[in-house]
Amino acid sequence: MTEKMKQEEGFEFQAEIKKLLNILSHSLYTHKEVFLRELISNASDALTKMKFSSLTNTDYEGKDIPFEINIDGDKEKKTLTITDTGIGMTKDEIIQNVGTIAKSGSLEFITNLSEQAKKDSNIIGQFGVGFYSVFMVADEVRIRTKSHKKGEPAYEWHSDGTGKYFLNPIEKENRGTEIIVHLKDEEKEYTEKTRIESIIKKYSNFVSFPIMVCGERANQITAIWKEPKKEIKEEQYNEFYKFISNTEDTPLFHLHTSAEAPIQFSSILYCPSTNYETYGFKKLEHGVHLYSNKILIQSDCKLLLPEYLRFIHGVVDSSDIPLNISRETFQDNRIIHKMKSVLVKQVLTLLQDMAKNEKEKYETFWRQFGRILKEGVHFDFENKDTLAQLMRFNSSMCKSPDELLSLKEYIDRMKPDQKEIYYITAVNRETMEKSPYLEIFRKKDIEVLYLTDPNDEFLLSGLHEFEKKPIRSADQANLDLLKDSDKKIVDTTEEPQNYEESFKHLLKTIKVTLADRTIDVKESNRLVDSPCCLVNPDGVPSVHVQKLIQMVDTNYKISKKIMEINRKHRMIQNLARMNETPSYQPLIEKIVNQLFENALMQDGVVYNPTSMAPRLNELLEELTKATLGEAKRIIV
Ligand code: ADP
Ligand code: MG
């Protein structure tokens, strides 16, 4: 004992380390439990180094001892001991590695860290600071270590994490390092086996060396993402998926890749089979966990994939990511941004291949996650084209509401002289099929995409065009397909005598009547069965989109439209005749307003029900009178 006291050497911590200890416990880590992750990570690093070194140097300490980590808690003594059979440290190495912050520039950085808001995570990661996190829970720490180098004496380092640390030579049988953490009174929980095990499950489950807690193996699963693909069976992928996603589901597909340049990383991404977002309103959380050399850095990391791929689960492991990265500094991390862009490309390529080679599977995917994937068209400019190719729609030419087609397929079956891609938006297929806008398309046998998801039109209007073909809403005023159809679809043979004149006159009357409610009133060249419809001038979004805008901005007013009148419609012809008699004007006015509001209703807009109901009643009264012959003059 006296001999040992004599040999004990005391060292003063650098002032910066004291500061660092302070910063570490207050800002870098939100959960104190991560100290165990850091210690296990160091043990794992030491074992990895030992393994590596043993490949070339066969002459090292303790050749027969297994590569493993042992963790034991002692409730009575309030200690937690982490033992590894790794590379160990010599006296100089302890002073160098644990006593100082090795990298130049780091000291200065740490000094400024609190002011500078810790923006640059790269610098944070460049100096070793993980070990010090143990002082968040410890009032004393002992490191007992013996180097793998033959003949080096073992040493014990101890400190209370304030001003000083001490070094003593000791007797130690095995190669490797033992960290004895003397826990603060309020941190006793870390001596409990179940607590330790749960931390391991959370952060260190995929460490590739056995972690024994009180003699029992605590980490079950190997880091399968680091294994060669061909050695992993489908069941293993599925097991791992269940583990990370906490479900009993079988994934729809998985994607296992590794990249070397520009960044080294391995990943396994999974697509679930069900989109739980459709079951409720809650948005799915990101489910990709970030690892650095098998140590969990952050679970459910939001920055690895864009919002529109939030349904993907998985792991990404990159040794280029520093362990000590804090949440705040993630945002600015270059490596993470690069990985994100590679991962997105990988997922989109897989989906493209699937769409091409496994049509049914892709459609299953699309039905579940299409609505989320589509969001990307708006937000991911870089991959907009790919995303557009991945979109699927139902259309007027589909035999069933379940059939799907891509924009490419639409183009492939376009009419030879068709220059534009057309879509129509409504709440359901039935409404669209009855829509007056569709009449001309049906007549000309031109396909129209059916959009029922309120966001679809936003997306398509955001795309503007696909393969150089403009994408147009069927309710626009100047569609290319209307150009040549002027009078051609209008068969004037059965028209009443002198109709040309009286129709023109009627248009005028309608225009005056609806002066405040429309931009213009015109003869239609798109209607077949309906008396009238409302179309949008170029550049104005469809009513559907306008209604979405209105939900966000209550002051927004749905813009006025152009009213188109079908000159062949029997009712219009009757109206034109009535219009020649001045005494019918009040009735005509009511009918015109009602026609206008009917057209609005077909667009899903109800302007003013309080004025419509009395008007309808008045019109019904006229109708009953006419039916009873009191006003035969009305019905021609
Ligand atoms: P980092 O792990 O980022 O280097 P740490 O503060 O966690 O930073 O550890 C500092 C250094 O201490 C390590 O780089 C390593 O050299 C040494 N060290 C820590 N724990 C061990 C251990 N269990 N075995 C061997 N060396 C260790
Ligand atoms: Mg470390």
Side-chain angles (χ1 to χ4, degrees):
M1 193 66 190
T2 32
E3 189 61 19
K4 192 183 165 192
M5 292 287 276
K6 246 189 242 159
Q7 290 183 16
E8 178 162 280
E9 286 181 74
F11 297 81
E12 190 81 23
F13 270 128
Q14 290 165 307
E16 283 78 5
I17 291 192
K18 287 184 209 165
K19 205 172 239 176
L20 165 71
L21 285 164
N22 204 15
I23 291 166
L24 267 175
S25 47
H26 292 112
S27 61
L28 260 186
Y29 301 103
T30 27
H31 308 294
K32 286 185 181 179
E33 64 187 23
V34 300
F35 85 90
L36 190 55
R37 174 189 79 177
E38 292 298 332
L39 296 184
I40 292 174
S41 145
N42 286 349
S44 169
D45 283 352
L47 284 161
T48 308
K49 284 178 199 160
M50 188 61 245
K51 206 158 203 176
F52 192 72
S53 149
S54 72
L55 299 176
T56 47
N57 175 15
T58 48
D59 192 25
Y60 58 92
E61 266 301 314
K63 280 187 92 163
D64 307 325
I65 50 176
F67 286 64
E68 64 179 29
I69 300 166
N70 274 281
I71 302 180
D72 287 288
D74 187 324
K75 235 188 190 129
E76 301 300 305
K77 291 189 189 148
K78 283 188 289 178
T79 57
L80 177 67
T81 307
I82 296 102
T83 314
D84 67 67
T85 50
I87 202 162
M89 283 180 275
T90 63
K91 182 185 176 189
D92 287 349
E93 282 166 347
I94 302 174
I95 296 170
Q96 186 59 35
N97 300 340
V98 189
T100 56
I101 302 172
K103 307 274 160 54
S104 70
S106 303
L107 298 181
E108 203 190 331
F109 175 72
I110 292 164
T111 321
N112 297 327
L113 194 59
S114 33
E115 295 90 67
Q116 201 192 295
K118 308 166 298 273
K119 283 225 171 85
D120 197 325
S121 54
N122 276 326
I123 305 177
I124 286 188
Q126 278 164 24
F127 50 81
V129 293
F131 170 74
Y132 296 96
S133 66
V134 70
F135 288 108
M136 294 190 290
V137 297
D139 49 26
E140 193 199 47
V141 177
R142 288 176 185 271
I143 306 175
R144 299 164 61 82
T145 184
K146 183 173 180 179
S147 171
H148 69 295
K149 291 173 195 158
K150 280 256 160 94
E152 285 284 347
Y155 269 86
E156 183 180 272
W157 174 104
H158 72 98
S159 171
D160 63 2
T162 52
K164 285 183 165 187
Y165 67 90
F166 301 92
L167 279 176
N168 282 305
I170 50 157
E171 285 304 316
K172 186 178 185 298
E173 195 188 335
N174 279 345
R175 169 201 79 217
T177 304
E178 190 179 306
I179 315 259
I180 304 155
V181 181
H182 193 272
L183 294 159
K184 293 176 185 169
D185 279 341
E186 65 273 22
E187 311 291 351
K188 275 196 308 226
E189 61 184 89
Y190 297 109
T191 57
E192 287 162 26
K193 186 173 176 242
T194 48
R195 181 78 176 100
I196 300 167
E197 282 170 341
S198 79
I199 300 172
I200 294 171
K201 281 268 176 298
K202 190 163 168 194
Y203 298 107
S204 316
N205 205 18
F206 305 115
V207 166
S208 55
F209 301 97
I211 305 175
M212 313 296 286
V213 178
C214 308
E216 264 180 65
R217 175 103 187 226
N219 60 332
Q220 305 297 337
I221 298 178
T222 51
I224 67 167
W225 62 88
K226 290 266 198 181
E227 309 279 317
K229 261 195 259 188
K230 56 179 186 318
E231 278 170 30
I232 304 170
K233 295 194 189 78
E234 199 64 23
E235 298 101 82
Q236 281 174 290
Y237 280 121
N238 292 349
E239 272 308 301
F240 183 57
Y241 170 73
K242 284 177 189 166
F243 174 78
I244 58 160
S245 64
N246 249 331
T247 59
E248 282 303 308
D249 284 2
T250 305
L252 209 56
F253 61 82
H254 70 259
L255 176 63
H256 185 178
T257 47
S258 55
E260 286 306 323
I263 302 151
Q264 181 284 320
F265 75 90
S266 328
S267 64
I268 302 182
L269 300 181
Y270 293 95
C271 179
S273 49
T274 321
N275 179 1
Y276 288 104
E277 229 172 73
T278 53
Y279 286 71
F281 295 109
K282 207 171 159 277
K283 232 177 157 184
L284 288 174
E285 303 276 337
H286 286 255
V288 178
H289 309 315
L290 177 65
Y291 285 80
S292 168
N293 265 331
K294 302 179 194 174
I295 304 282
L296 181 67
I297 302 290
Q298 193 179 75
S299 46
D300 303 327
C301 182
K302 284 194 172 55
L303 298 163
L304 288 170
L305 285 174
E307 276 282 294
Y308 71 88
L309 292 176
R310 60 183 174 273
F311 52 88
I312 299 278
H313 285 270
V315 293
V316 174
D317 186 326
S318 170
S319 45
D320 292 338
I321 294 285
L323 252 190
N324 303 306
I325 191 165
S326 79
R327 268 160 211 272
E328 298 78 32
T329 52
F330 260 148
Q331 224 85 24
D332 306 325
N333 191 287
R334 237 173 0 95
I335 300 169
I336 292 192
H337 283 293
K338 278 211 179 123
M339 280 203 300
K340 176 177 172 178
S341 109
V342 177
L343 288 168
V344 170
K345 288 252 151 56
Q346 286 177 348
V347 174
L348 295 185
T349 309
L350 176 125
L351 290 174
Q352 272 183 312
D353 289 348
M354 192 191 292
K356 205 166 139 205
N357 305 319
E358 294 171 284
K359 196 163 177 279
E360 238 168 75
K361 191 171 177 186
Y362 182 73
E363 289 185 357
T364 308
F365 162 79
W366 178 258
R367 284 179 218 288
Q368 289 293 327
F369 298 101
R371 62 175 67 200
I372 302 182
L373 189 77
K374 279 187 290 201
E375 294 172 16
V377 174
H378 259 300
F379 298 110
D380 189 348
F381 190 74
E382 204 184 315
N383 296 300
K384 196 170 158 181
D385 291 344
T386 314
L387 285 160
Q389 286 165 29
L390 288 169
M391 290 175 78
R392 294 292 178 272
F393 304 90
N394 190 239
S395 86
S396 57
M397 303 246 172
C398 289
K399 300 217 168 43
S400 86
D402 296 330
E403 210 177 305
L404 292 171
L405 84 154
S406 65
L407 289 172
K408 178 89 187 70
E409 284 166 312
Y410 179 99
I411 287 185
D412 288 347
R413 58 199 206 198
M414 257 162 64
K415 290 265 154 353
D417 54 349
Q418 188 184 336
K419 296 195 182 72
E420 299 174 330
I421 297 171
Y422 299 108
Y423 66 85
I424 182 164
T425 321
V427 281
N428 54 40
R429 192 176 149 107
E430 212 190 338
T431 316
M432 290 186 271
E433 281 177 341
K434 296 209 172 103
S435 165
Y437 306 114
L438 228 64
E439 293 173 3
I440 180 75
F441 290 92
R442 216 175 282 127
K443 181 127 189 152
K444 292 194 151 197
D445 200 26
I446 285 177
E447 185 162 23
V448 181
L449 298 173
Y450 283 168
L451 312 188
T452 42
D453 183 337
N455 290 313
D456 276 356
E457 190 172 347
F458 258 132
L459 299 177
L460 281 182
S461 51
L463 267 182
H464 298 297
E465 54 173 45
F466 182 79
E467 295 193 352
K468 303 241 159 45
K469 306 264 188 295
I471 302 174
R472 310 285 311 271
S473 173
D475 67 351
Q476 293 283 309
N478 300 310
L479 299 176
D480 186 72
L481 92 159
L482 299 172
K483 273 191 189 135
D484 62 338
S485 65
D486 283 349
K487 300 276 181 240
K488 277 185 214 156
I489 65 157
V490 180
D491 175 9
T492 51
T493 49
E494 281 177 33
E495 283 184 353
Q497 277 189 340
N498 302 329
Y499 183 55
E500 190 68 37
E501 270 310 299
S502 63
F503 180 68
K504 268 191 196 144
H505 188 206
L506 177 67
L507 283 185
K508 246 181 237 157
T509 307
I510 300 176
K511 206 165 170 168
V512 172
T513 310
L514 298 176
D516 294 339
R517 310 184 82 178
T518 54
I519 301 172
D520 200 2
V521 177
K522 284 189 198 167
E523 177 182 340
S524 179
N525 56 2
R526 77 173 82 206
L527 294 170
V528 180
D529 302 317
S530 303
C532 63
C533 70
L534 294 166
V535 300
N536 259 322
D538 286 345
V540 175
S542 81
V543 175
H544 223 74
V545 168
Q546 292 195 43
K547 281 205 294 186
L548 285 176
I549 300 171
Q550 211 172 34
M551 287 202 295
V552 187
D553 175 5
T554 43
N555 291 324
Y556 182 87
K557 292 242 172 337
I558 304 268
S559 64
K560 286 186 196 166
K561 297 191 168 204
I562 300 163
M563 189 170 189
E564 288 192 1
I565 310 290
N566 179 2
R567 64 179 280 159
K568 294 181 289 114
H569 198 276
R570 191 62 200 271
M571 191 240 291
I572 297 296
Q573 296 182 350
N574 290 349
L575 262 187
R577 259 188 82 183
M578 283 168 64
N579 196 33
E580 284 155 16
T581 310
S583 63
Y584 291 147
Q585 286 312 311
L587 180 57
I588 292 175
E589 209 171 288
K590 276 178 203 151
I591 294 174
V592 167
N593 272 301
Q594 190 56 46
L595 277 176
F596 172 79
E597 288 181 24
N598 287 353
L600 274 184
M601 275 199 296
Q602 276 182 305
D603 272 357
V605 183
V606 179
Y607 254 16
N608 195 352
T610 44
S611 68
M612 188 195 285
R615 185 198 306 122
L616 269 174
N617 287 337
E618 285 165 28
L619 289 173
L620 289 174
E621 194 187 323
E622 291 290 339
L623 178 65
T624 50
K625 274 199 256 169
T627 312
L628 289 176
E630 281 178 39
K632 274 201 187 88
R633 51 200 150 91
I634 295 179
I635 310 289
V636 184

